[in-house]
Amino acid sequence: MVKVGELRAFVGDDSVIDEPGQMAAYLNEPRKRFHIPAAAVVRPATVPQVQAIARWANENRVPLIPQGGNTGLVGAQVPLRGDEVIVSLQRLDAIRDVNAQAGNMTVEAGVILQHAHDAAEAAGAIFPLWLASQGSARIGGLLGSNAGGVQVLAYGNARELCLGIEAVLADGRLYQGLSALRKDNTGYDLRDLFIGAEGTLGIITAATVKLFPRPVGYETAFCSVAGPEAALELFYLMRERTGSRLTAFELMPRLGLDLLLKHQMIPQDPAASLSPWYALVEVNLMKGSASGALEAALAEAFERGIIGDATVAQSETDRTRMWSARELMSEVQSKEGASIKHDVSVPIAAVPRLIAEGSAAVARAIEGVRPCPFGHMGDGNIHFNFSQPVGADPKAFMAREADANAAIYDIVLRLGGSVSAEHGIGQLKTGLLERVKDPVALAMMRSIKSALDPNGILNPGKMLGSADKAVPT
């Protein structure tokens, strides 16, 4: 039994929530798959308070769940057992330093991603981690889940955008790893232990992240392609013609656009014509660079029969409309009923095979299913979603989720891919991780967990499953 009064004694009454109704915002995760209550929510306002909470929890064997904006999609940030205390980092939201010329910024874990964007842009730079939930996702959670987004192609995921980490360990000690160094060859890179660890090794309290020069503009096009094979050919051409200026290459099926128009989630069709597939392509315009690279590449693609046509954004309004179609692609499927979702990656060259074989396999298993694969073709990460058949019972459809999962994951692994590209493991995929991860790698992960969190208080049961459960009080 968690002694909430002890928590209040060292963080204050207003920093602890134990009334179920008031905890709802911290428990209701986006996909509404997990419904376990928490023992309490604690909201520290300083790093020393986080340290005090960790020391207390370690001494009393109380499980802690670090939480940022509660936008995670695999349940890492919400309870698994019901005896956990959620440690919300929302109040640690200071931007400690911005140095645009040196290309770095130090922010606390509770900083909302959009606010990090604003701070960087005010200094004449960009922090190029862009995703649909950037208005609520927070830096600590993004690093803990090693978030990806639509600019990974050019800038990398959260791990590649982080220079240094500050984190509270399970026993309350503070790992002071904040650094703006681009080179530091003095042993193990401890920073990387915490990035992607989903709060199982420490509580991230701050980070130094990379900034990049702000583009002066963008060249954006919505291209009609016959299929994923043509989209892959277009990607190769665009990369050859525009190099590192190619920042995004997103693939979408016509079904997704039809659903967006049906449910009036976009004001008009961004495509120039009906086509079974589309590619959203974006190239940065940097200071001093010549415009026209995108249109020149598209002209060549048209001549070679790679694309049917394309709409090129003529204004920021046009660009926003194109990106809205991509960003709402997942959300609109909920309006069609149940949806079976997969966040997978394969080598870029294997994306067409993944989509063709995966769509066929699940269609054989579930009659009338509607495949809606879309996403980051430029880095091989496809969100392979399936909407329920028209008129089907949602519960009956979701009862077939295991069949769809088995079909997709079998193909992904055969193609040399990953069963979790950017969403993580959390509590949703712990069993899957045990089946697909190299046994030696899994043993190494468990050894690291045991060394840093011997009492198993940090996010027990997440990622590594039942092997790391905390000792009950």
Side-chain angles (χ1 to χ4, degrees), residues 93-108 111 116 119-120 123 178-180 206-211:
D93 62 352
I95 295 173
R96 297 183 184 176
D97 181 63
V98 180
N99 191 331
Q101 290 183 318
N104 60 75
M105 172 172 67
T106 299
V107 295
E108 292 186 338
V111 171
L178 291 178
S179 172
T208 299
V209 298
K210 297 177 183 177
L211 300 182

Side-chain angles (χ1 to χ4, degrees), residues 140-181:
L142 293 167
L143 290 170
S145 61
N146 190 26
V150 298
Q151 299 273 322
V152 171
L153 172 60
Y155 299 104
N157 55 19
R159 185 184 305 279
E160 294 167 285
L161 292 171
C162 183
L163 291 167
I165 287 286
E166 174 188 272
V168 172
L169 303 184
D171 60 7
R173 288 179 296 162
L174 184 65
Y175 167 63
Q176 296 176 320
L178 291 178
S179 172
L181 294 176

Side-chain angles (χ1 to χ4, degrees), residues 38-100:
V41 175
V42 60
R43 302 173 64 245
T46 67
V47 173
Q49 285 186 351
V50 179
Q51 292 180 264
I53 293 165
R55 281 193 296 270
W56 170 82
N58 197 48
E59 291 169 0
N60 292 279
R61 304 295 194 270
V62 175
L64 301 179
I65 302 175
Q67 187 182 97
N70 193 16
T71 61
L73 300 176
V74 291
Q77 78 282 12
V78 292
L80 171 64
R81 308 183 327 187
D83 60 345
E84 303 100 327
V85 171
I86 293 175
V87 182
S88 169
L89 282 303
Q90 292 180 1
R91 296 173 69 187
L92 270 70
D93 62 352
I95 295 173
R96 297 183 184 176
D97 181 63
V98 180
N99 191 331

Side-chain angles (χ1 to χ4, degrees), residues 319-456:
R319 176 176 178 255
T320 299
R321 182 166 60 248
M322 293 176 183
W323 275 109
S324 292
R326 164 59 186 88
E327 291 167 353
L328 294 169
M329 193 66 57
S330 182
E331 183 181 339
V332 72
Q333 290 175 69
S334 65
K335 296 183 180 297
E336 281 291 295
S339 179
I340 297 173
K341 302 176 185 292
H342 305 94
D343 164 51
V344 296
S345 65
V346 294
I348 297 169
V351 168
R353 282 188 61 190
L354 167 67
I355 292 175
E357 295 179 20
S359 297
V362 177
R364 287 193 297 268
I366 307 175
E367 184 178 356
V369 72
R370 292 177 289 170
C372 190
F374 66 95
H376 321 300
M377 186 167 190
D379 58 42
N381 175 198
I382 298 298
H383 299 296
F384 212 145
N385 296 356
F386 294 87
S387 287
Q388 69 176 58
V390 175
D393 176 67
K395 290 184 178 179
F397 175 66
M398 291 307 295
R400 306 295 305 278
E401 183 177 25
D403 297 329
N405 291 349
I408 293 300
Y409 294 145
D410 177 68
I411 294 167
V412 166
L413 295 173
R414 179 159 42 81
L415 294 175
S418 170
V419 298
S420 183
E422 62 180 358
H423 293 167
I425 299 299
Q427 57 182 289
L428 181 65
K429 296 183 178 181
T430 53
L432 181 62
L433 183 70
E434 290 181 355
R435 294 199 301 273
V436 305
K437 196 74 173 177
D438 171 66
V440 175
L442 200 57
M444 292 172 66
M445 291 168 64
R446 286 177 171 147
S447 294
I448 293 169
K449 169 70 171 175
S450 178
L452 292 182
D453 183 18
N455 292 325

Side-chain angles (χ1 to χ4, degrees), residues 27-43:
L27 300 173
N28 298 330
E29 45 79 35
R31 290 188 174 168
K32 305 187 185 307
R33 294 184 68 119
F34 311 105
H35 308 283
I36 304 298
V41 175
V42 60
R43 302 173 64 245

